[in-house]
Amino acid sequence: MRWAILGGNKQIQERRAHPRKMLEEDVEVAGSLPGTGSASLTLGRLRNISEGGIFVITHLPLVPKTGVGFSFALPNGERAILGTGEVAHRISPADGG
């Protein structure tokens, strides 16, 4: 387990299993729309990446535990990354996301 220091001597438990790297890139995301089962393609913004996953901001309300496809270019532009995954959780604007 890792711990983060927040001001003074306060410590909180770091819940992430893998360190995150900040990465600001456009990302295409294909996923299902809630309640419809219809597939949709949207452009989002990749915020960070780790061995365990990526954090993407989209306008689509992706449904947790559903499959998604994604693609983005590395910052140097040499290579595109294509992948599939599962939505782990969703943070809505009402939740502070």
Side-chain angles (χ1 to χ4, degrees):
M1 281 183 209
R2 292 190 312 267
W3 296 85
I5 304 294
L6 293 181
N9 292 323
K10 280 188 168 181
Q11 292 185 343
I12 61 164
Q13 183 177 354
E14 175 60 64
R15 297 183 324 169
R16 292 188 175 107
H18 306 285
R20 299 238 167 213
K21 177 167 176 46
M22 299 304 294
L23 184 63
E24 294 277 340
E25 295 294 329
D26 289 334
V27 60
E28 287 185 340
V29 179
S32 295
L33 294 175
T36 68
S38 299
S40 182
L41 179 67
T42 189
L43 186 63
R45 191 75 179 156
L46 178 64
R47 297 302 301 269
N48 63 51
I49 188 168
S50 78
E51 185 178 324
I54 60 177
F55 176 63
V56 176
I57 296 173
T58 72
H59 293 288
L60 274 184
L62 298 172
V63 179
K65 300 189 189 281
T66 60
V68 292
F70 60 88
S71 66
F72 62 93
L74 292 176
N76 61 15
E78 286 183 22
R79 186 172 150 193
I81 303 297
L82 305 172
T84 59
E86 182 178 282
V87 177
H89 63 274
R90 182 175 89 198
I91 303 170
S92 72
D95 297 329

